[in-house]
Amino acid sequence: MIALLPQVEICDNGICDLRNHPLHRTMVSIHLPGELRELMKRHGKRNIDLANLLNIDPTAVSKILTGKRVLKAQEAAAIHDWLGTAVTIDAPIATPIPIIGQVSGGNWREAIQQPIGHLPSPDPSIPKGAFALRVVGDSMDRYVEDGGTVVVDPSDRALFPGRFYVVLNDEGETTFKQFATDPARLVPCSNNKAHVEITIGDGTAFSIVGRVIWRASRM
């Protein structure tokens, strides 16, 4: 047992057998997110309660409780006071993301596969199999400048309005655009007005390479 400071002051040399002293609490170290979830359930605490305690977004709480986000020192201390429990949650190791080539940030352009190196993973939750591409062109410069880097999830190909995708046509050319509906089309997000929308269903066959889930650009 480790004595709290007020207990130290009333005990000889900080060693005290007054286990029933009001300041005593059982110290349980938690290292796994599942254990924290179980302890919260035992105390009748909800995710929103933890979000309010730490003053963070509920989505950040979900990442904590699934091991995708590391607790900061002050957050662990706050949970200790909240639950009487020492908490340490280790996040999974983030795997570097391979930069495998280039993608056009403009008109359709031949896909170029040329390993460039690796990008440090910006988030451990990025799925395995994700890869990065360098953007060539300025048709998406409101989000990613010419020469910037995007991370693509090839397992996420379902089209949803407002999301961003790398698209491949039947001639082996790619482009990076935002998807929109009514009508279905690929939309440039550029300060350069020369770029135009690409209508889907105009006779050009295409496939979705994957959804763009992260961006990384030099400032």
Side-chain angles (χ1 to χ4, degrees):
M1 176 179 177
I2 301 176
L4 301 177
L5 182 58
Q7 287 176 304
V8 172
E9 294 175 350
I10 63 171
C11 300
D12 182 25
N13 296 323
I15 301 174
C16 183
D17 285 326
L18 299 179
R19 301 299 177 98
N20 294 321
H21 189 277
L23 292 172
H24 169 70
R25 69 177 89 185
T26 302
M27 299 295 293
V28 180
S29 294
I30 295 223
H31 297 280
L32 298 176
E35 294 176 359
L36 177 56
R37 290 196 301 270
E38 180 61 30
L39 193 62
M40 287 174 57
K41 181 179 179 180
R42 195 183 311 160
H43 284 263
K45 305 294 187 181
R46 302 168 299 164
N47 287 14
I48 190 63
D49 298 325
L50 182 57
N52 292 335
L53 173 75
L54 303 181
N55 194 28
I56 58 177
D57 189 88
T59 57
V61 169
S62 296
K63 290 183 178 181
I64 290 173
L65 295 178
T66 54
K68 296 176 181 177
R69 180 183 180 281
V70 179
L71 282 171
K72 299 176 182 178
Q74 62 269 30
E75 293 173 340
I79 294 175
H80 169 269
D81 292 337
W82 191 46
L83 299 176
T85 305
V87 180
T88 302
I89 296 180
D90 298 323
I93 298 174
T95 304
I97 300 169
I99 306 173
I100 67 169
Q102 299 176 346
V103 62
S104 172
N107 295 326
W108 294 105
R109 180 171 174 170
E110 180 182 2
I112 299 176
Q113 276 197 313
Q114 182 182 10
I116 299 173
H118 288 80
L119 175 74
S121 178
D123 191 315
S125 66
I126 287 181
K128 292 181 179 179
F131 57 85
L133 296 168
R134 288 279 166 80
V135 177
V136 179
D138 64 356
S139 79
M140 297 296 290
D141 65 0
R142 291 182 187 173
Y143 293 95
V144 183
E145 64 183 11
D146 183 9
T149 305
V150 294
V151 176
V152 181
D153 178 5
S155 67
D156 187 352
R157 297 191 178 103
L159 290 172
F160 288 93
R163 292 184 178 179
F164 302 89
Y165 300 88
V166 172
V167 183
L168 175 73
N169 67 18
D170 56 358
E171 296 181 4
E173 300 169 323
T174 61
T175 189
F176 159 45
K177 294 288 185 292
Q178 185 178 42
F179 177 67
T181 55
D182 300 323
R185 62 198 190 278
L186 302 174
V187 180
C189 302
S190 177
N191 295 307
N192 182 351
K193 301 301 182 182
H195 295 290
V196 297
E197 297 180 351
I198 300 172
T199 302
I200 295 176
D202 62 357
T204 301
F206 73 95
S207 59
I208 304 300
V209 176
R211 184 165 75 90
V212 174
I213 56 176
W214 280 88
R215 60 185 174 187
S217 302
R218 182 180 296 276
M219 300 298 292

